[in-house]
Amino acid sequence: MTVAGHVARMAAARLGWLGMRSARRLRLAAGRCARNQAPQGVRAARRSLDGRCDTAADIYLGCWRLAGHTVECDPDGPFAERAGPDAWAEALHGFAWLRDLAAGGGELQRVHARGLIMDWIGRGCRKLPAASRPIGEAQRVTAWADHAPFLLHGAPEPFESEFLAELGRAGRALALVGPAADRPAERLAAAAAVANASLVLRGYEGLRGTAMAQLAHELERQTLPDGGHVSRSPQRLVECLTAVIPVLQAADDLRVALPPALGSCVMRMSTALRFLVHRDGGLAVFNGVSRTSVREVGALLLALPASSAPPHRLPQSGYVRLAHGGTVILADAGLAPAPGANPFAVPAPGAFEMADGPNRIVVNCGAPQSGDRDWVVAARATAACSTAVIGEASAGRLFRSSIITRIVGAPVLTGLERCEAEVDESQQGSLLKLVHDGYLARFGCWHERRLFLSAEGQDLRGEDSFHFDGPANLPPDFAIRFHLHPAVSVEAGENIRMTTPDGRVWTFLARGGTVAIEASVYLPDHPSPVASRQIVIRGATGPSRRVTWSFKRNTGVAH
């Protein structure tokens, strides 16, 4: 084993040992807090994220839009429904929607929120699967603690007593079981919720030191040195930061010092998030993103500490960013995440997205919000991304052993062992050179991609070439795909012409294959797939096969 391998194993062992030690201390502290039947009150702190008044009005009328689904509830309220998709139910019992009621700021919204909470408690909803899982309980504890000043202002004694008792019970339960949760997302959400409770609940100060240590450990465990999440998912990065923001703001308001490791980790994550955001304010669509989360990202970036300008590359996360003029290129230059780290990961080295200002032009198909199994499988194919596909196969294989799936939670990706990338900067622009072995085992073929973005941002040139290690019995066909955002209109002609919603025009030209416009879909931000288009270059691979293509922005706008 290499020295680097030994260091990695020693670091992993130390993190695991530190995690067990901090988790054990947290359970002991929670046991001591259990002597208190309920918190003695709350300390006021800023709410971490603001809500929307128009959503509060919909909730009052019984229209609940959660997790991409809408459910019209009868007068008995949403907790009597026992219906709706799983994602909708989890969002309902997570209570993040309290921020929308609080955004109204009036007594009507306050009374309505109290009534919903008392209904939830009275119906024993905490025993439901959607509410009892660690991540659901963590989201609820955070939301209740976040909005306790809003809820308790002028509240009658019976509500205050019931509310604080349930909040204290849930916080202690999370401290006991959260560190042992199977899934990383649950462990982090639980750690953040307990840390937040230890800050804002009077009488729970005894949890604070160990809760902060557990949160710092879990966050470090899930964050790469460049600030990305170990899943390589931009969406998972947003979810982690959303869980941690209430802790940061409560600690700042109450003048409680954070562990240095926690502050350092958050700063790296903030830089990575800025790197992975397009200029429309939303996430780039890589490795299972089902929501571009424009509103959430904007709120996070306002709440997070300022960080340096995004770098050109996140080396451990495996992403490259080229930005000139108004154009941004974000490209996947990484391997598959560790088994179990991301059940929606896609083997797509060389895949890229291109945006012109707020307009996304070239995109990846993303992941379905619905969680539909067939769409999840389709979205994990390399063909769902804007890169080259050889022999209609993916650049890596999904290993579907039922035993492995039970152990790590999802099929794992194999067959993609090397992906090497470098970025050169000059006065003329930026050049990304990338080569990967995702097709080497099956076809004896390396795929090389070069992307050059001019300094003015008006000219993107690409080159795809295929290199064989030895003779190929039957050189397979290739398809180079450029999925287009649904808002972009496309016209075929001598050159392909694309027009953005605000009238910007780009033209596409290719040499080395047959070009066609075909059907595609775009999955993020919609409850069901949205029809779109894709540009596809087809041909047969060969030892000297080289395909060149370009996107060029026209001067002026369309009329």
Side-chain angles (χ1 to χ4, degrees):
M1 181 180 289
T2 64
V3 173
H6 280 297
V7 170
R9 287 188 63 180
M10 291 170 64
R14 176 167 174 77
L15 282 172
W17 177 74
L18 289 173
M20 288 188 290
R21 186 174 67 173
S22 62
R24 185 161 53 248
R25 289 179 175 177
L26 187 60
R27 286 193 290 269
L28 290 173
R32 289 192 295 271
C33 281
R35 300 187 191 102
N36 298 323
Q37 293 302 309
Q40 299 158 14
V42 295
R43 296 179 179 85
R46 280 174 293 169
R47 290 194 297 272
S48 54
L49 298 172
D50 292 328
R52 299 176 58 171
C53 296
D54 55 343
T55 304
D58 291 338
I59 289 174
Y60 188 77
L61 296 173
C63 180
W64 291 78
R65 295 187 176 92
L66 302 172
H69 303 279
T70 300
V71 174
E72 300 281 349
C73 296
D74 61 32
D76 288 337
F79 302 116
E81 291 294 309
R82 302 290 193 272
D86 289 345
W88 181 89
E90 290 168 2
L92 175 69
H93 292 280
F95 279 84
W97 44 265
L98 279 174
R99 71 172 68 117
D100 297 315
L101 292 179
E107 192 61 23
L108 176 63
Q109 289 86 358
R110 199 187 322 271
V111 171
H112 189 205
R114 290 179 195 148
L116 289 167
I117 288 173
M118 290 300 287
D119 187 43
W120 186 90
I121 294 173
R123 293 180 185 274
C125 290
R126 62 181 163 97
K127 298 178 181 178
L128 297 174
S132 60
R133 285 189 283 270
I135 195 164
E137 196 146 45
Q139 290 169 348
R140 185 168 65 257
V141 166
T142 297
W144 285 20
D146 224 16
H147 295 87
F150 166 74
L151 295 163
L152 295 178
H153 179 73
E157 193 281 330
F159 173 81
E160 182 173 349
S161 176
E162 290 274 3
F163 174 77
L164 290 177
E166 176 60 28
L167 184 54
R169 181 211 63 78
R172 293 191 300 272
L174 277 176
L176 290 169
V177 305
D182 291 334
R183 300 184 183 279
E186 293 180 335
R187 292 197 303 271
L188 181 61
V194 174
N196 190 40
S198 74
L199 289 166
V200 303
L201 300 184
R202 298 184 187 278
Y204 281 63
E205 295 84 358
L207 280 173
R208 187 173 297 166
T210 49
M212 290 293 187
Q214 177 68 14
L215 176 58
H217 159 74
E218 193 59 50
L219 200 63
E220 191 72 29
R221 188 179 178 184
Q222 296 189 34
T223 306
L224 296 166
D226 60 19
H229 192 264
V230 293
S231 66
R232 300 192 63 229
S233 167
Q235 185 169 315
R236 186 73 192 100
L237 180 63
V238 166
E239 291 166 355
C240 287
L241 284 168
T242 300
V244 173
I245 281 293
V247 180
L248 303 182
Q249 294 193 330
D252 184 53
D253 288 351
L254 302 173
R255 299 184 180 180
V256 174
L258 293 170
L262 180 59
S264 173
C265 194
V266 169
M267 185 62 73
R268 299 199 315 270
M269 295 168 73
S270 175
T271 300
L273 178 60
R274 286 177 167 85
F275 179 102
L276 293 166
V277 171
H278 281 298
R279 287 182 176 163
D280 64 356
L283 294 173
V285 179
F286 293 101
N287 281 300
V289 168
S290 63
R291 301 188 308 275
T292 57
S293 305
V294 172
R295 181 169 169 265
E296 292 91 332
V297 168
L300 276 176
L301 293 179
L302 287 174
L304 286 166
S307 64
S308 57
H312 296 300
R313 188 176 180 188
L314 297 180
Q316 289 82 29
S317 297
Y319 292 107
V320 171
R321 182 184 180 100
L322 311 179
H324 292 294
T327 304
V328 172
I329 306 294
L330 280 160
D332 187 336
L335 302 175
N342 185 350
F344 307 105
V346 185
F352 76 97
E353 294 200 320
M354 180 180 79
D356 180 4
N359 304 288
R360 299 192 186 208
I361 299 174
V362 178
V363 296
N364 298 308
C365 292
Q369 280 196 345
S370 65
D372 178 271
R373 185 176 180 278
D374 291 339
W375 276 113
V376 168
V377 171
R380 296 194 69 183
T382 305
C385 299
S386 292
T387 189
V389 175
I390 299 177
E392 298 300 330
S394 286
R397 296 183 179 181
L398 284 178
F399 187 59
R400 299 183 179 280
S401 163
S402 59
I403 296 176
I404 294 296
T405 300
R406 281 198 299 271
I407 293 172
V408 302
V412 300
L413 290 170
T414 63
L416 178 59
E417 305 296 334
R418 292 180 61 187
C419 182
E420 300 172 0
E422 61 178 274
V423 179
D424 294 330
E425 299 285 331
S426 69
Q427 291 184 344
Q428 287 72 41
S430 299
L431 172 66
L432 165 64
K433 294 180 283 188
L434 178 146
V435 62
H436 71 88
D437 68 349
Y439 294 105
L440 186 63
R442 277 168 290 179
F443 304 120
C445 180
W446 293 79
H447 171 220
E448 181 180 1
R449 166 163 278 188
R450 297 189 175 208
L451 300 177
F452 173 80
L453 180 64
S454 67
E456 298 78 20
Q458 298 181 358
D459 187 1
L460 172 66
R461 301 178 193 178
E463 176 183 295
D464 288 285
S465 53
F466 308 97
H467 309 284
F468 286 85
D469 276 0
N473 294 328
L474 181 63
D477 292 341
F478 66 80
I480 303 172
R481 301 177 184 277
F482 307 90
H483 297 275
L484 303 177
H485 191 275
V488 173
S489 62
V490 57
E491 303 172 40
E494 182 178 351
N495 298 330
I496 292 177
R497 175 186 171 103
M498 293 150 287
T499 307
T500 65
D502 61 1
R504 306 183 196 198
V505 177
W506 288 74
T507 56
F508 177 85
L509 178 66
R511 292 185 177 89
T514 303
V515 181
I517 299 174
E518 300 180 7
S520 181
V521 294
Y522 189 67
L523 301 172
D525 302 326
H526 301 280
S528 58
V530 174
S532 186
R533 310 284 279 177
Q534 62 177 314
I535 301 169
V536 185
I537 309 171
R538 297 185 184 276
T541 59
S544 60
R545 194 58 181 258
R546 186 168 67 97
V547 183
T548 59
W549 46 266
S550 66
F551 287 86
K552 293 188 178 181
R553 184 169 60 200
N554 294 11
T555 304
V557 298
H559 296 286

